[in-house]
Amino acid sequence: MSLRLVARSVSGLLLLGLSLFADSPTTQALAPRKDQANAGRERISFNENWRFHRTEFQTDDLAYDYRPDISLSSNATILKPWILASGNEFIKDPANRHVRPDGHPGGDAPIVQLDFNDSDWESVTLPHDWAIQGPFYTEEDPIIGGGMGRLPVHGVGWYRNRVTLAPADKGKKIYLDIDGAMSYAIVWLNGNLVGGWPYGYNSFRLDLTPYLEEGEDNQLAIRLDNPPDSARWYPGGGLYRNVWITKTDPTHVALFGTFVTSKDVSKKSATVDLSVRIDNGPEKRTIRVEADVYEISAKSGKIGKKVAEFPSQKIELSSSDSQSVSLSTQVKNPKLWGPPPTQTPSIHAAVIRLYDGKDLVDTYETRFGIRDINFTGEGLLINGERVQIRGVNQHHDLGALGAAFNIRAAKRQLDILRELGSNAIRMSHNPPATELLEMTDAMGFLVIDEIFDSWQKKKTISDFHLIFDDWYEPDLRAFMRRDRNHPSVIGWSVGNEVGEQHDDEAGAVVARRVVAVAKDEDTTRPITASMNFAKPDMPFPPTMDIVSLNYQGEGIRDSPAYSHLTGITTSPQYPAFHDKFPDKLIFSSESAAALSTRGTYIFPVTDGISAPVNETSGGNKAAEYVSSYELYSADFGSSPDKVFRAQDNNSFVAGEFVWSGFDYIGEPTPYYSGLSRSSYFGIIDLAGFPKDRFYLYQSRWRPDLKMAHILPHWNWPERVGQVTPVHVFTSGDEAELFLNGKSLGRQKKAEFQYRFRWDDVEYQAGELKVVAYKNGERWAEDSVRTTGPASQLRLSSDADNVAADGKDLVFVTLEVVDEKRYVVSDAQNTVTFAVDGPGELVATDNGKPNDVTPFPSKERNAFNGLALAIVRATGKGKITISATGNGLQTGKVVVRGN
Ligand SMILES: *[C@@H]1O[C@H](CO)[C@@H](O)[C@H](O)[C@H]1NC(C)=O
Ligand SMILES: *[C@@H]1O[C@H](CO)[C@@H](O)[C@H](O)[C@H]1NC(C)=O
Ligand SMILES: *[C@@H]1O[C@H](CO)[C@@H](O)[C@H](O)[C@H]1NC(C)=O
Ligand SMILES: *[C@@H]1O[C@H](CO)[C@@H](O)[C@H](O)[C@H]1NC(C)=O
Ligand SMILES: *[C@@H]1O[C@H](CO)[C@@H](O)[C@H](O)[C@H]1NC(C)=O
């Protein structure tokens, strides 16, 4: 939150109480501080005390618009003409802005009235995903299939809450800031239609001021509407990100109103340019703009030393004016922002103050980074250093927690990705929670920020194509203005595999329109759209600043193992794109699309380096498993080994974003027809447990980490004497494998070889051990052994303390172990979790894509030896998490709520 400091340290005369019931006020106003009484701005969390109700099908006569999946009654009120005006601030040409018709349709609906009785509605705290608790649809042909996660995301959901206007707030602007509402949000206040925002991934602001009355009884009602075929993955449903009330002076820094850029960056100095847009109220006013640059402490995240100030500037604002001022300053010896491990992600803040004479009218903080990024045809240079992109694609869901954003769960994902050696994330395929970008800033991840999965051409019957023409401009501008100050964002992706790629000149025309809007917002970053089809000589690619390839770089269905497949065959395209666009940066925005089920091994194993999964090779359709030898891919995909080869053979390639970092809900390729409800693409499973592939990427991305990893596990009583290939991933360059102490040979890595494989090993129980070498020196070891039967449950937590703030979480890993405490890697025991003390179980998982036990269940099958429990503190004190299982010794772990 760019306003974090401001919200904490600045208050005003404003006392806005937000409460649902008069007898239980939850005044969240900040204590007033006399010295800054007129500092103007407060940003108050509005996540508590909501009432929620959902109907599976449309039962009211309200709708944003006609849609292929709903049949509206002839009485239906189409609200689109009123909603379109909510985007006006982000439409550049005044001629294209929408004139809102008179009146407040829907204002008479009982549900938006103050006296509507919502006491039997569910009480919810935001962020809230109405679908994640399930249950999963398990029937054939459900309304929501595996593609969207088999969860009840569709339908109409209403949220109600009350807003208080304190006497002291009269004359202030009061805004409702919604970070994400899935989808087609329409908002009423006191029976007045305030506005709305259809696209579920964008953040938006509505002005409540005209409709607020003094007192506590301002009734807010928000209607959301999710079509059943809105996406190719799980979108979630509801007010799934944070919601805020922002209060400002009538004269204030506009929404997303700052833009900080740096140029002429060196270790000695940098020029920092700041533009500030100021919205004025009804009175004519002269405003002095002052702004300073501070360092942000990496440790505390707080404002530190002042390192520069901008010259102050005066601006005359007429009634209801909106104007920008541009300021520039020099920072001497700037601490630069750059990705670890070779650089440090230093953060700065610009603090802007608006004065009317001596009165401080507004204070606004924007965090940014000083860095020089150069996108060249030979790769990415950050502050002059060539940095290879070791990226992953991430969907927005947080596994068992669904789409409901949670900082702790997102941080856990980033920590696991950092352990993997990843330095980059592509936000596939939509704007992320803004808090996630604050974390990528602080940790130094490089981000490709992406907004659309479709333009005019549809992928599903009710996806964004329905509203593209009306909304692409306001959505794109709002998204870019929100995210443009994040140093981690290095480029904008305006589309993913859009159908317009296939559309020759007509598609390029649309692309140029979208790109022109993006360039009008930001010329400091390249604009791109990811191409899984367009070839260098087609009209589409030249419209983009950088070449963003999905799967084409390494080739699609081009190697012998894929030759029996139908579908487009594409030879490796890196060289052709490089020849055609020698000065443009090239990277794989999606690579691999490898598939696997954690800890599952299927025989025989292909002897090639990459093969499509099918019933006779790597797959088991009945069980819905893909072998974790990590050689199998989707029909259009490739193994990691094949991708690495293509990259190393084309050294100009800037790197890759693997599809995908974590498994995510929906898109269960290749098992749409079974019960699967989450993906197989992840390097890490849905529960956050690394698959074997994790160590293959780690061996490449962290060459200095001494590591070796053996697969498969070694519990194969039914395979005695049978060939059971053993593969090893290591950052070493040589390795020797031992079975029960006997060497099975020492191997050296050849060029374009990324794994060691002993494909003729005959299984016998015991211990497999690998010793890896680098430059002739002993480097790392790993071993796996045949275990005894499951005998106990072992729990461990990823934190000792958990804040009792309703948001913090602790992730507890359960391992099924034998008597000697070795993990039984094929154990599937049913376990029951319990929480004693001031804590509660939020969800459980095991990373198995076709497990249809609802996520909140306390009972869960371990999957290949592991399960996960997610726990929240409800108060201070000792919280004991335990797990029991039939015939197994109980496991326990203690954490402290505080
Ligand atoms: C439309 O509204 C009229 C008057 O309120 C009502 O009688 C009629 O049943 C409604 N028709 C439908 C299809 O809902
Ligand atoms: C609201 O409805 C509940 C039952 O759904 C009822 O118990 C309660 O009395 C109602 N309140 C009012 C004010 O009518
Ligand atoms: C970017 O790097 C290229 C190649 O090294 C160099 O020619 C060019 O001058 C650089 N551009 C900037 C703006 O630094
Ligand atoms: C499965 O893929 C292999 C290549 O890896 C191919 O030889 C085989 O014919 C395929 N089997 C089926 C059933 O498609
Ligand atoms: C490297 O690329 C060339 C063509 O540019 C190709 O002929 C060769 O087979 C590739 N080598 C590998 C190992 O993929």
Side-chain angles (χ1 to χ4, degrees), residues 2 34 125 149 167 188 292 340 355 370 379 417 466 549 558 566 640 659 681 693 701 728 735 770 795 867 871 884 887:
S2 59
K34 288 203 178 75
T125 299
W188 288 263
D292 303 304
Y355 288 93
I370 298 174
L417 292 173
L466 293 178
L549 300 179
D558 63 312
T566 55
W659 192 269
F681 292 115
R693 230 185 303 156
W701 288 353
V728 168
V770 69
L795 298 191
V871 173
T884 52

Side-chain angles (χ1 to χ4, degrees), residues 306-363:
K306 179 167 152 182
V307 293
E309 62 185 55
F310 293 91
S312 84
Q313 192 164 319
K314 272 203 176 144
I315 181 168
E316 306 278 337
L317 295 157
S318 55
S319 172
S320 302
D321 204 0
S322 179
Q323 281 195 48
S324 289
V325 300
S326 294
L327 309 170
S328 187
T329 189
Q330 298 283 320
V331 177
K332 295 281 165 226
N333 306 313
K335 290 188 174 154
L336 303 185
W337 186 96
T342 52
Q343 301 189 35
T344 306
S346 301
I347 308 282
H348 287 82
V351 178
I352 296 126
R353 295 184 181 84
L354 307 186
Y355 288 93
D356 180 351
K358 280 187 180 152
D359 290 339
L360 181 57
V361 170
D362 194 11
T363 309

Side-chain angles (χ1 to χ4, degrees), residues 491-539:
W492 304 107
S493 173
V494 294
N496 171 60
E497 300 182 355
V498 294
E500 283 77 1
Q501 281 175 99
H502 299 254
D503 220 10
D504 287 334
E505 185 51 31
V509 168
V510 183
R512 279 193 287 270
R513 254 168 68 202
V514 179
V515 169
V517 170
K519 284 194 171 301
D520 188 54
E521 288 293 327
D522 186 4
T523 54
T524 71
R525 296 178 176 92
I527 317 296
T528 194
S530 294
M531 301 175 287
N532 63 336
F533 173 81
K535 300 294 176 293
D537 54 357
M538 292 181 182

Side-chain angles (χ1 to χ4, degrees), residues 207-374:
D207 185 3
L208 302 182
T209 321
Y211 311 115
L212 276 170
E213 286 157 25
E214 204 173 306
E216 297 172 339
D217 287 342
N218 291 285
Q219 183 63 51
L220 193 68
I222 303 178
R223 182 187 189 275
L224 304 181
D225 183 359
N226 276 353
D229 285 302
S230 63
R232 304 183 294 124
W233 57 83
Y234 176 73
L239 296 174
Y240 70 105
R241 288 178 180 159
N242 288 312
V243 175
W244 312 87
I245 294 284
T246 301
K247 300 188 288 180
T248 69
D249 187 278
T251 308
H252 57 270
V253 175
L255 174 65
F256 315 140
T258 56
F259 192 11
V260 191
T261 56
S262 44
K263 64 183 184 215
D264 306 326
V265 175
S266 72
K267 282 187 176 144
K268 292 213 161 111
S269 82
T271 302
V272 174
D273 294 326
L274 165 67
S275 107
V276 185
R277 195 156 69 83
I278 300 160
D279 286 348
N280 194 26
E283 310 291 328
K284 183 170 173 263
R285 226 163 170 189
T286 303
I287 292 292
R288 193 173 77 255
V289 183
E290 296 196 348
D292 303 304
V293 178
Y294 297 86
E295 287 177 356
I296 296 294
S297 155
K299 243 193 189 152
S300 68
K302 292 195 176 125
I303 289 244
K305 189 170 87 179
K306 179 167 152 182
V307 293
E309 62 185 55
F310 293 91
S312 84
Q313 192 164 319
K314 272 203 176 144
I315 181 168
E316 306 278 337
L317 295 157
S318 55
S319 172
S320 302
D321 204 0
S322 179
Q323 281 195 48
S324 289
V325 300
S326 294
L327 309 170
S328 187
T329 189
Q330 298 283 320
V331 177
K332 295 281 165 226
N333 306 313
K335 290 188 174 154
L336 303 185
W337 186 96
T342 52
Q343 301 189 35
T344 306
S346 301
I347 308 282
H348 287 82
V351 178
I352 296 126
R353 295 184 181 84
L354 307 186
Y355 288 93
D356 180 351
K358 280 187 180 152
D359 290 339
L360 181 57
V361 170
D362 194 11
T363 309
Y364 190 94
E365 179 196 324
T366 295
R367 296 193 174 198
F368 68 99
I370 298 174
R371 81 271 194 282
D372 172 66
I373 305 196
N374 187 347

Side-chain angles (χ1 to χ4, degrees), residues 23-58:
D23 58 344
S24 62
T26 54
T27 302
Q28 295 168 32
L30 304 162
R33 262 178 47 186
K34 288 203 178 75
D35 55 332
Q36 292 193 326
N38 204 21
R41 179 177 293 259
E42 277 182 273
R43 189 173 190 242
I44 301 160
S45 171
F46 193 26
N47 287 341
E48 308 286 327
N49 293 324
W50 289 83
R51 290 279 176 158
F52 165 71
H53 178 72
R54 164 181 171 264
T55 54
E56 195 180 351
F57 300 102
Q58 169 124 5

Side-chain angles (χ1 to χ4, degrees), residues 67-70 142-148 151 153-155 183-184 225-233 235 453-454 458-466:
R67 233 176 35 215
D69 65 279
I70 44 174
I143 181 161
I144 304 294
M148 282 174 67
L151 286 167
V153 285
H154 62 296
S183 56
Y184 288 99
D225 183 359
N226 276 353
D229 285 302
S230 63
R232 304 183 294 124
W233 57 83
D453 188 53
S454 58
K458 68 173 172 237
K459 291 182 181 172
T460 65
I461 62 165
S462 296
D463 67 18
F464 190 77
H465 82 281
L466 293 178

